[in-house]
């Protein structure tokens, strides 16, 4: 398999930005990407451009939400907003940051917003020029708690996925007055109004044990309308849950609609990424969290919610690409996609106290074995990201057959703010299979 042109897999794409890097700067503001929904702050539009969600802090303090558009070759798009950037003055009583851009038909973008002060979560929509679409929701905004009855659990985290036909789901984590966490799935039409045909009122509460700091991590919609959700929790093992198109648990999947990712011992497993297609079926990637160093895990499920015996003997697969000595411990999945032949994963290593940051890309066949035809390293390759900083974080990822694009926050601090830099970097990926 080959990457873009004569480049090897994992080489930086020097045709993007300046020598492969675009630095996100907005005059007069400190910029932070993506609020707290990591890996969702970057999204590719249909025309190949990249949308970036961000928070913008002026010198007087507080936060405003921002949305930037950069061209496919890594430059600000001057046709969008003010030379490629929209920064919105704060709404009354709110300090909103952009959490996730979700490109929709007609070059518009639905933007997920999170309040720094109150944990309010909202949606808005911008047209192709960056102007707010006042026909969306109420005067351009949807308050995810304000559209539901008082007293219901509040939304504390979440993200948007497509529902088909111009509609979309917001999939979130909730917290009630007794500090109990759970899930919620809301279905919206293209105008930002709840679709009452879903669950009879436009949303369904999902009873899953998450515990404090638990969350719904990912979601995908099958062609038959069933919805797959994954969870991470500090209170036990994670789950893969399937809902019927009505929003109720699917009794034909796992046990009462859920597959529990049981550990082999005292370790805690978390699922971070899901994939489904008619050809490939259900795939999931996660992390064995409580064992140092953390290690990645991979599994596939039959339609009834069981791991087939033909995949790693019917158990999940621990990901170890070459061992700790050469930095090949795959720890945290960032992307997963599959076909009838197998599955490709993108993730990062478990940082071992050094400042070297690595991205690992591997491909497995349907049995779980590494695909030796994928790269010169017998099924995987490693990118040493040439940046250093203790508060180094990935906030967005976009993958095509030609490239991997990462949004990165980096600096020399210990995780505090303001960040030193917000970058978008592009590396060569793999050829079409």
């Amino acid at each position: 398999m080959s990457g873009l042109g004569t480049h090897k897999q994992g080489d930086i794409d020097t045709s993007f930005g300046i020598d492969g890097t675009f630095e996100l700067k907005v005059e007069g503001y400190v910029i932070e990407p993506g609020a707290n929904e990591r890996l969702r702050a970057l999204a590719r539009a249909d025309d190949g451009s990249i949308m970036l969600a961000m928070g913008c802090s002026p010198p007087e303090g507080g936060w405003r939400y921002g949305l930037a558009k950069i061209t496919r070759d890594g430059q600000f798009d001057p046709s969008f907003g003010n030379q490629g950037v929209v920064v919105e003055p704060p709404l009354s009583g709110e300090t909103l940051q952009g959490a996730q851009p979700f490109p929709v038909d007609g070059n518009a973008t639905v933007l997920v917003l999170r309040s720094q002060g109150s944990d309010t979560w909202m949606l808005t929509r911008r047209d192709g020029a960056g102007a707010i679409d006042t026909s969306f929701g109420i005067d351009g905004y949807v308050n995810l708690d304000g559209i539901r009855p008082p007293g219901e659990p509040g939304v504390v985290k979440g993200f948007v996925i497509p529902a088909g036909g111009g509609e979309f789901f917001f999939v979130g984590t909730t917290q009630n007055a007794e500090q109990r966490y759970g899930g919620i799935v809301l279905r919206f039409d293209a105008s930002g109004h709840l679709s009452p045909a879903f669950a009879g009122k436009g949303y369904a509460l999902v009873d899953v044990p998450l515990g404090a700091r638990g969350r719904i991590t990912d979601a995908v919609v099958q062609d038959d309308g069933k919805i797959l959700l994954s969870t991470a929790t500090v209170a036990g093992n994670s789950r893969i849950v399937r809902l019927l198109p009505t929003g109720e648990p699917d009794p034909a999947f796992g046990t009462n609609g859920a597959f529990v990712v049981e550990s082999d011992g005292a370790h805690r497993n978390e699922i971070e990424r899901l994939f489904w297609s008619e050809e490939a079926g259900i795939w999931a990637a996660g992390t064995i969290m409580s064992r140092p160093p953390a290690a990645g895990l991979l599994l596939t499920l039959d339609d009834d919610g069981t791991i087939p015996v033909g995949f790693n003997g019917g158990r999940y697969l621990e990901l170890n690409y070459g061992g700790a000595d050469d930095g090949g411990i795959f720890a945290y999945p960032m992307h997963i996609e599959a076909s009838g032949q197998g599955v490709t994963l993108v993730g990062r290593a478990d940082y071992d106290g050094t400042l070297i940051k690595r991205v690992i890309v591997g491909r497995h066949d349907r049995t779980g074995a590494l695909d030796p035809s994928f790269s010169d390293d017998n099924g995987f390759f490693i990118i040493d990201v040439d940046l250093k900083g203790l508060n180094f974080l990935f906030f967005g990822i976009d993958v095509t057959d030609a490239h991997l694009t990462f949004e990165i926050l980096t600096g020399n601090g210990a995780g505090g703010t303001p960040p030193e830099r917000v970058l978008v970097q592009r590396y060569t990926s793999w050829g079409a299979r």
Side-chain angles (χ1 to χ4, degrees):
M1 299 293 173
S2 61
L4 182 64
T6 59
H7 292 290
K8 293 173 58 180
Q9 291 167 318
D11 284 351
I12 197 160
D13 180 0
T14 56
S15 68
F16 181 82
I18 299 176
D19 296 329
T21 298
F22 169 87
E23 185 167 357
L24 181 58
K25 291 182 177 180
V26 180
E27 187 174 354
Y29 294 95
V30 172
I31 302 300
E32 286 199 10
N36 69 348
E37 285 302 300
R38 296 179 187 172
L39 300 180
R40 300 187 189 275
L42 174 154
R44 175 165 40 97
D46 289 342
D47 63 1
S49 58
I50 295 174
M51 308 303 298
L52 306 173
M54 56 189 173
C56 306
S57 180
E60 62 270 22
W63 289 98
R64 303 178 180 186
Y65 75 81
L67 180 64
K69 183 176 184 179
I70 65 174
T71 60
R72 65 180 70 196
D73 60 349
Q75 308 294 329
F76 275 120
D77 185 340
S79 70
F80 183 82
N82 181 11
Q83 297 300 306
V85 178
V86 170
V87 178
E88 184 67 15
L91 299 178
S92 177
E94 297 291 353
T95 53
L96 296 170
Q97 287 185 268
Q100 178 200 2
F102 178 68
V104 294
D105 294 341
N107 286 326
T109 302
V110 171
L111 184 60
V112 180
L113 306 173
R114 171 184 178 265
S115 170
Q116 283 285 81
S118 65
D119 252 350
T120 298
W121 284 75
M122 301 180 73
L123 307 174
T124 188
R125 186 167 65 193
R126 295 276 171 169
D127 65 21
I132 193 167
D133 180 355
T134 56
S135 69
F136 181 82
I138 299 176
D139 296 329
Y141 291 90
V142 176
N143 184 317
L144 294 173
D145 290 332
I147 59 175
R148 299 186 291 118
E152 283 199 344
V155 176
V156 294
K157 298 174 184 175
F159 52 90
V160 168
I161 61 170
E167 298 195 346
F168 60 91
F169 289 106
F170 180 92
V171 182
T173 305
T174 62
Q175 181 185 23
N176 67 9
E178 288 75 38
Q179 307 296 303
R180 186 171 186 272
Y181 291 78
I184 189 170
V185 179
L186 302 96
R187 182 165 185 153
F188 292 92
D189 63 23
S191 64
H193 296 97
L194 288 173
S195 299
F198 178 71
K201 53 187 177 181
Y203 64 93
L205 295 171
V206 185
D207 185 13
V208 285
L210 295 180
R213 294 185 292 138
R215 57 202 161 90
I216 305 294
T217 58
D218 204 4
V220 292
V221 182
Q222 300 182 179
D223 286 350
D224 58 7
K226 294 178 181 178
I227 306 163
L228 289 162
L229 310 176
S230 58
T231 75
T233 174
V234 297
N237 292 306
S238 65
R239 284 165 166 74
I240 299 172
V241 178
R242 190 163 72 186
L243 306 179
L244 298 171
T246 59
E248 301 169 335
D250 181 358
F253 185 81
T255 302
N256 299 321
F259 170 83
V260 180
V261 189
E262 298 280 3
S263 71
D264 290 338
H267 306 300
R268 188 180 83 250
N269 295 331
E270 295 186 354
I271 296 297
E272 293 289 345
R273 288 290 176 263
L274 292 174
F275 182 89
W276 179 91
S277 73
E278 184 68 39
E279 176 191 26
I282 302 167
W283 290 83
T287 303
I288 305 171
M289 286 294 298
S290 55
R291 186 193 63 199
L297 65 88
L298 173 69
L299 61 89
T300 183
L301 296 176
D302 288 334
D303 192 58
D304 60 0
T306 59
I307 302 177
V309 174
F311 176 83
N312 196 42
R315 301 172 62 190
Y316 69 75
L317 176 70
E318 182 175 331
L319 302 175
N320 187 342
Y321 299 166
D325 291 342
D326 59 5
I329 298 287
F330 185 112
Y332 299 100
M334 300 159 63
H335 175 83
I336 181 172
E337 62 181 64
S339 68
Q341 288 72 49
V343 60
T344 302
L345 299 169
V346 182
R348 72 168 176 85
D350 191 38
Y351 301 147
D352 57 1
T354 72
L355 294 182
I356 298 173
K357 314 305 179 185
R358 291 186 172 96
V359 176
I360 303 174
V361 185
R363 179 174 286 163
H364 300 255
D365 65 25
R366 294 192 65 86
T367 71
L370 280 167
D371 178 357
S373 69
F374 178 59
S375 76
D376 295 338
D377 291 319
N378 296 317
F380 69 95
F381 64 91
I382 296 175
I383 301 171
D384 282 334
V385 179
D386 189 21
L387 295 167
K388 294 178 173 63
L390 293 176
N391 59 333
F392 182 100
L393 296 169
F394 292 98
F395 270 84
I397 182 169
D398 175 48
V399 181
T400 71
D401 282 341
H403 65 247
L404 304 166
T405 305
F406 304 110
E407 185 179 13
I408 299 169
L409 181 150
T410 184
N412 295 320
T417 58
E420 184 176 279
R421 291 185 296 174
V422 177
L423 308 174
V424 180
Q425 290 193 319
R426 176 167 290 174
Y427 296 82
T428 56
S429 181
W430 50 87
R433 34 186 324 172

